[in-house]
Amino acid sequence: MLDRQVLQELIQVLGSENVLTEQEDLLTYAYDATAAMKHQKPDVVITPVSTEQVVEVVKIAANYKIPIYPRGSGTNLSGGTIPVQGGIVLSMLNLNKILEVDQDNLTATVQPGLIIQALNDEAGKYGLIYPPDPGTVTTATMGGSVSECSGGLRGLKYGVTKHYIMGLKVVLANGDVIRWGGKTVKNVTGYDLVALFTGAEGTLGIITEIIVKLIPAPEARKSILAVFDDLDKAGKAIAAIIRNKVIPATLEIMDNDTIQTVEHFVHAGLPIDAEAVLLCEVDGYKEVVARESVLVERILKEEGAVQVNIAKDDKERDLLWLARRTALPALAQKRPTTVLEDATVPRSKIPDMLKAIRGIAKKHNLQIATFGHAGDGNLHPTILTDERDVEEMKRVHLAVDEIFQVAISLGGTLSGEHGIGIAKMKYLNMEFGEAGVAALRRIKEALDPNYVLNPGKIVRRD
Amino acid sequence: MSVYDSLDSITEELHKCMKCGNCQAVCPIYKETRQEVGVARGKISLAEYLLSGEIEMTEGMADRFSLCTTCMACNNNCPCGVRFDKIILAARAEAVRKKGLHSVKKIAFTALKMQRLFDLGMKTGSVFQGVALKHLPHKSDRIARMRFDIGIGTDKVFPMLAKKTLRSEYPEVIRVKSPKMRVAFFTGCMINYFYTDMGKAVVEVLTENDIEVVIPKGQGCCGIPASVNGDVISARALARRNLREFEKKGADALVVACSSGGTAWKHVFAELLENDPEFKALADKWAGKSYDIAEFLVHQVPFKKEGLGRVSRKVTYHDPCHLNRGQGINQEPREILKSIPGVELIEMKEPGRCCGMAGSFSLVHPDLSVQISDRKTADIAQTQADSVATGCPACRLQLQSGVENAGLEKQVMHTIQILAESYRAGKKEKKRS
């Protein structure tokens, strides 16, 4: 429980209407979108409306050494916003303005509580886009997205969030406010703290303003669906497309389990016997798109696709994408608990990774459907299970361990777009080694010596 | 086991939720409050804690469960197919079982049950309403504002009670020369007591299409205000009464011009009476022949296009949640509007977005209700339409209050009123030629 004095001080800064203390409210901040995670109720939830208020709150937290958990929409998938040690949940949702769209410099300045789609809508008015495109674009916030460094369907060509963050305003654990980066394309002054705070999952500072890079919206796009009767061939086709110097915006894969489930739910006309389908979209200038789509079609056929369909119009294109977008929902309806991972490997290793996942599923007698952003090596092996089945959950955890082991052994990484949070802390050694984890800890302790900011995530206190 | 009987009935529904938070994108309450408890995911969690016994039903819990307009937008946007409408009904019923009914609601639902007393109250009300309501000058509608605040503010614009209720204006059976069918009309309370113009339009259009109309005198409130607030006992009594009355009169079909009433006949009565074999059978039978008026005119009649005269209106259509998502009816009203010569249909940005009325929700949460309504009003303003059509009297009240308070000159009406207007214009045109 929080000291009365602390509550009084918080109310003084924020006003009582922005300080939630009743358990009926607190209980709804005990979780995020991560499956099978232990819930933890915070002691108080507050909603600041300015950087100044955040500073005051951080000072109070520092003074009493109370944990403080920044939170956006809570759509993250690694337990990153669960207040594992109680304390203060800092909901950023009322800091939600677009401060500026700068057409001359192709930047936008926004507050962290802004929903990503709102930025897309505004940028669209100027013929611009904000390329990071997470599946939760209509719900997730900019601050959360920067903090988790989220990715999305367009990662192959456009990268992830960190490639679009040019500047940040951050409140540090001692209450200092710093600005780093800015609107200049070239900016190499000092350590790159913008990069450091992007993907720091709120453990190093609290972001209160974000400058992002916008790019011109592509003039045209074309979608292509290729059907394979052999998973290996599909994997090789991915590498072949890129070897031929075509970088599609999106190159997605669905395995047979996923295809069957999706088809069962949406009847989009997917071939249920296929071992895999690839869904590819090229975008850019009209002429380029025309040339690249023909090239991609040819490569897919050469690599052994049994069928290749190019969407003739928007309607056909939408149907293809409906199938892909339905993958997770369809899988989620099959069993109550959906453990979705984002192990990522160099794209040339996709066939190996797919094979390994199938082996793991068999070994542990689990249903694992795999789909994902194959072009950038980011797979989503999705384990369909039921949290209530204790015995099966044991096998799920073993399978997850092995999936990450394989990913690392193939030269991959623990997370392509979901972050580390609580869920993957224990694997960090696997990727970074003792020395690497120690380096992370020294950074954490330099900036937040008392572990006040989002404690229990990424870096364990020794 | 029905959602009205036990919280256990929604166990599986709760397990379907994977906490992705997609419901946030479409929840009108969450958009205003930006608090997790406002959205489906938050209330689903609370229901889970209740079921697991981690916490008990408290007053505070009941309050949080009242934060839902039952617009069902979350149902539609849910990747896992969670039926949140079932969850909220079960949670509210549980709240009433454990904590009793909010006193204001108790009085209101009891009144709704006692039909004759209620009728008398309303009649007296129509005479004395000037005491509480200040009449506002308006071209087309009899509307008013509260003179004093009874807890819902004085900003809301209400329709004046009709001098005569709709049901007292007609004989029980309205005959036509050569009837092609006999249709029972469930008027619902708002149409009967306030918006009699809507009811008259229904009768006019049906008879125009050679349909005999029966308006059973003994019909009463549909019970939705009670059932959505967890007062299952009142809701069941009302369901039985209505079924009995309509069964007595008999008809080939039943039409409703009110989205709650339609939902009641099509879905809720059968669910409420699940454990009552005799009435369950009756409920199923009538559910099978219940239609929203727009649905009925388009698919069952179909309504005659010759005789439609020119109505020059720029119309924007608001989809009532319980008609659109509750009954899957959104094309039919538009089809009707498009078939009327002179009517230009201009779609607003999000026609399916909840207007924030949600019956008693607007009484318990007046500020939130108005905030939600303001977004709707802004969308309406953007269309530059001169008329707002909808398929629900409660939505009409809310929309009317919104445009009135924004100082917009727009007439808000039921789709069917514009159709009736067109038939009338057609007759005039015929006379002239």
Side-chain angles (χ1 to χ4, degrees), chain B residues 94-137:
Chain B
E94 174 79 0
V96 170
R97 274 193 298 274
K98 292 275 157 66
K99 291 277 135 195
L101 192 62
H102 192 279
S103 58
V104 176
K105 288 178 188 168
K106 202 186 305 184
I107 296 167
F109 303 154
T110 308
L112 288 173
K113 263 191 294 188
M114 295 190 280
Q115 191 67 34
R116 248 169 299 168
L117 193 68
F118 187 53
D119 262 355
L120 182 70
M122 286 301 214
K123 267 175 213 155
T124 326
S126 79
V127 179
F128 291 106
Q129 59 188 332
V131 177
L133 291 169
K134 186 167 63 194
H135 191 208
L136 301 176

Side-chain angles (χ1 to χ4, degrees), chain A residues 20 22-25 27-33 39 71 73-75 93-94 96 138-139 328-329 332-333 336 388, chain B residues 12 15 18-22 24-25 30 34-37 41-42 45-46 49 55 58 60-61 64 79-81:
Chain A
L20 304 177
E22 288 180 29
Q23 78 157 352
E24 292 88 347
D25 295 314
L27 282 168
T28 63
Y29 292 88
Y31 54 82
D32 56 25
H39 290 189
R71 179 186 173 106
S73 296
T75 55
L93 294 177
N94 283 345
N96 57 11
T138 56
T139 44
L328 177 59
Q333 293 199 22
R388 291 165 289 185
Chain B
E12 279 311 307
H15 276 295
M18 64 170 183
K19 308 288 181 298
C20 66
N22 276 12
Q24 294 171 358
Y30 183 77
R34 291 187 283 275
Q35 286 181 7
E36 184 74 18
V37 82
R41 184 172 73 166
S45 303
L46 289 184
Y49 292 123
I55 46 169
T58 56
M61 202 71 126
R64 303 317 189 275
C80 311

Side-chain angles (χ1 to χ4, degrees), chain A residues 369-380:
Chain A
T370 301
F371 62 96
H373 322 301
D376 51 36
N378 182 200
L379 289 178
H380 291 312

Side-chain angles (χ1 to χ4, degrees), chain A residues 40 52 133 146 243 358:
Chain A
Q40 174 61 51
E52 292 70 34
D133 182 30
V146 173
R243 204 181 320 117
R358 277 206 289 185

Side-chain angles (χ1 to χ4, degrees), chain B residues 245-289:
Chain B
E245 284 303 319
F246 278 75
E247 184 62 17
K248 237 193 281 173
K249 296 289 169 316
D252 302 320
L254 176 144
V255 296
V256 189
C258 151
S259 54
S260 308
T263 309
W265 281 95
K266 287 182 182 177
H267 308 299
V268 181
F269 288 172
E271 283 161 23
L272 281 168
L273 302 167
E274 210 179 61
N275 302 324
D276 179 339
E278 186 198 337
F279 274 94
K280 167 75 164 68
L282 218 48
D284 284 339
K285 174 183 156 190
W286 281 92
K289 51 181 179 179

Side-chain angles (χ1 to χ4, degrees), chain A residues 5 34 36 74 87 142 179 183 192 200 210 299 320 328 333 345 408 422 435:
Chain A
Q5 175 66 24
T34 320
M142 287 298 294
R179 281 176 180 280
K183 290 184 183 178
D192 190 355
I210 304 160
I299 298 165
L320 289 185
L328 177 59
Q333 293 199 22
V345 293
I408 300 282
I422 310 171

